[in-house]
Amino acid sequence: MLVVKNIHKSFGDAEVLKGISTTFEPGKTSLVIGQSGSGKTVFIKCMIGLHDPEGGSIEFDNRVFNKLKESEKREIRKEIGMVFQGSALYDSMTVEENVMFPLKMFAQNTKQEMLKRVNFVLDRVNLSGSNDKYPSELSGGMKKRVAIARAIVMKPKYLFCDEPNSGLDPQTAIVIDNLIREITREYNIITVINSHDMNSVMEIGDKIIFLKDGVKAWEGTKEDIFKTDNEAVVNFVYSSNLYKKVREVFLKDN
Amino acid sequence: MNNIEHIGKYFLMLLDVFKKPQKWNVFWDLLLREIDDLGLKSLGITVFIGFFVGGVVAIQTALNVDSPFIPKYLIGFATKRSMILEFAPTFISVILAGKVGSYITSSIGTMRVTEQIDALEIMGINSINYLVLPKVVAVLLFYPVLVVLAMFLGILGGWVAGVLTDLFFTEDYIMGIQLEFNPYFVRYAIIKTLVFAFVIVTVASYHGHKVSGGALEVGRASTKAVVWTSVVIVFLNYFLTQMLLG
């Protein structure tokens, strides 16, 4: 269980996170949504330790992450997989080397065992046979899949994804969403996704957290989001005519 | 951020650089790659500059020695001393500050803005140690070789220039370069080179690692890194010369 309690974070005079609390469960994909500037990225960066919150706590299975020493944090980080918005693949490495990198750094396996694991995860993200390609030779969707493969190669307990669908066409975005959901359920991972994409919310949002001006304004499931009368959520999620119609149809049918 | 704060952060970065590598076999792989990137790929420019600077020093000395009371072997002597004491270690280091320093800052800076450094840190890797230590070791091992090569080629370039311009005889030049050879001067040059090599890598890495923003900031950081590295090299050159030769 990942428990966030009363997180505060400021940059200068600007208070970006104003006391956010929530929990994330294994086997479920949780989406953090909100307008640009609402604090989503800062929230996720606080959880993974790229920012230090000024107040509150982040507990990874009862280990208070933000109170640990740097060396102790590194141990928890080995259990975290992260998919970045821009994939963050190492340009000088091939797909195989990128995915093998965490294993080379932390695993005690032989080269053969590592290669077997790399091929397994590449197959899992439907990228078999792309081992020798460099990131510059890959499409946006392929880069995201390599990033997912690298994130799961160490069998993480926690998976964080920052805008995994940004810059992808709708079809590829659905493939990535489904892949993340399948992996989350298959390996019983705690998955937290930072997203703007309402398709993702509707498709894979086992839990949805809506941030507004650094505050958790709403929390619920994808089913709840149709029924909510929270004005801020309705205005954000149903900002397009298409989703307004979808909501009307849903409410009429139910 | 003011300059004092930058200096403080630079020294704090050094504390992270000199930690034990997390995986030795990964470190050795990186070290070999850095020797190739930062050392072997600087061989061409070092050979070119060393040879021609030696030639220029020999020609200028020859043209300025027009008194019959000044022996011609002084041309070889002056070329040798200039190359060993100053031109090879300092001139080559300033050139490498431009070539290698900007490469380091832009590559680390690009890794920073494309979140590759964040990816390292989230994996639990000390990014500064992982990225900078192999570079520091690579230049400390290889730059003395480059500078000694530049000394040799500079002296050779001086002789070639003399032969081609008929400004002095080979015998005089050889007598000059054999005159009063002091091995301490070579040691002094190598000590300077090691200090300069360390400055080139660490100052450039510091500027790359703290980049935030996009391509424009990476470009600005590269320029800043080259300027500051050159300033520090010139400054340290003065103090090291005073300390070691004064």
Side-chain angles (χ1 to χ4, degrees), chain A residues 168-217:
Chain A
L168 300 181
D169 64 85
Q171 240 178 341
T172 311
I174 287 172
V175 170
I176 297 293
D177 279 343
N178 289 334
L179 183 62
I180 292 171
R181 182 171 55 182
E182 283 165 25
I183 286 165
T184 301
R185 292 191 178 160
E186 210 173 302
Y187 303 121
N188 203 33
I189 299 172
I190 293 173
T191 298
V192 183
I193 303 170
N194 192 352
S195 186
H196 267 130
D197 186 3
M198 288 310 117
N199 275 330
S200 302
V201 173
M202 304 302 180
E203 286 280 329
I204 59 167
D206 294 328
K207 178 174 184 171
I208 298 150
I209 295 149
F210 177 71
L211 300 188
K212 190 174 186 327
D213 301 327
V215 175
K216 186 177 79 177

Side-chain angles (χ1 to χ4, degrees), chain B residues 10-21 24 27 126 128-130 132-137 140 198-199 201-202:
Chain B
Y10 167 78
F11 283 105
L12 285 174
M13 182 197 81
L14 293 185
L15 292 179
D16 266 342
V17 171
F18 293 105
K19 282 184 177 159
K20 196 179 124 206
W24 281 102
F27 172 79
N126 175 347
I128 291 175
N129 174 270
Y130 174 82
V132 185
L133 185 63
K135 289 179 174 59
V136 171
V137 177
L140 291 181
F198 182 80
V199 167
V201 171
T202 53

Side-chain angles (χ1 to χ4, degrees), chain B residues 75-225:
Chain B
I75 298 164
F77 179 76
T79 306
K80 176 192 72 178
R81 280 278 165 98
S82 309
M83 286 309 299
I84 291 175
L85 289 172
E86 201 55 35
F87 284 106
T90 310
F91 199 81
I92 295 290
S93 294
V94 171
I95 297 294
L96 291 178
K99 181 190 175 286
V100 174
S102 62
Y103 166 76
I104 291 173
T105 306
S106 55
S107 60
I108 294 181
T110 305
M111 285 186 78
R112 168 60 83 196
V113 299
T114 55
E115 298 179 312
Q116 292 175 47
I117 289 181
D118 289 345
L120 285 173
E121 281 168 5
I122 283 163
M123 283 179 209
I125 295 166
N126 175 347
S127 65
I128 291 175
N129 174 270
Y130 174 82
L131 292 170
V132 185
L133 185 63
K135 289 179 174 59
V136 171
V137 177
V139 296
L140 291 181
L141 287 175
F142 207 80
Y143 279 14
V145 177
L146 287 180
V147 166
V148 170
L149 183 70
M151 289 172 189
F152 173 76
L153 287 168
I155 294 166
L156 181 72
W159 171 72
V160 172
V163 169
L164 292 177
T165 55
D166 280 336
L167 282 170
F168 50 82
F169 297 113
T170 299
E171 293 76 21
D172 290 332
Y173 190 78
I174 289 173
M175 187 193 285
I177 61 175
Q178 288 175 334
L179 187 71
E180 284 186 33
F181 177 73
N182 186 349
Y184 177 72
F185 289 164
V186 177
R187 283 206 295 279
Y188 155 79
I190 289 173
I191 291 168
K192 280 208 305 189
T193 304
L194 291 171
V195 173
F196 297 160
F198 182 80
V199 167
I200 292 169
V201 171
T202 53
V203 172
S205 299
Y206 171 74
H207 279 92
H209 203 268
K210 73 171 181 65
V211 168
S212 61
L216 192 66
E217 281 76 13
V218 174
R220 282 184 183 141
S222 296
T223 309
K224 239 185 216 179

Side-chain angles (χ1 to χ4, degrees), chain A residues 45 48 50 74 77-78 80 82 84-86 88-93 101-102 104-107 150, chain B residues 16 19 22-23 25-26 29 33 110-111 114-126 130:
Chain A
K45 285 191 171 176
I48 57 179
L50 286 179
R74 285 204 179 113
R77 281 184 175 137
K78 289 175 194 168
I80 296 175
M82 173 84 194
F84 285 90
Q85 191 173 356
L89 301 179
Y90 303 119
D91 306 320
S92 58
M93 297 183 193
F101 182 73
K104 272 176 88 174
M105 288 304 292
F106 300 113
R150 187 178 66 184
Chain B
D16 266 342
K19 282 184 177 159
Q22 280 167 283
K23 206 74 184 262
N25 56 351
V26 174
D29 286 349
R33 205 183 74 191
T110 305
M111 285 186 78
T114 55
E115 298 179 312
Q116 292 175 47
I117 289 181
D118 289 345
L120 285 173
E121 281 168 5
I122 283 163
M123 283 179 209
I125 295 166
N126 175 347
Y130 174 82

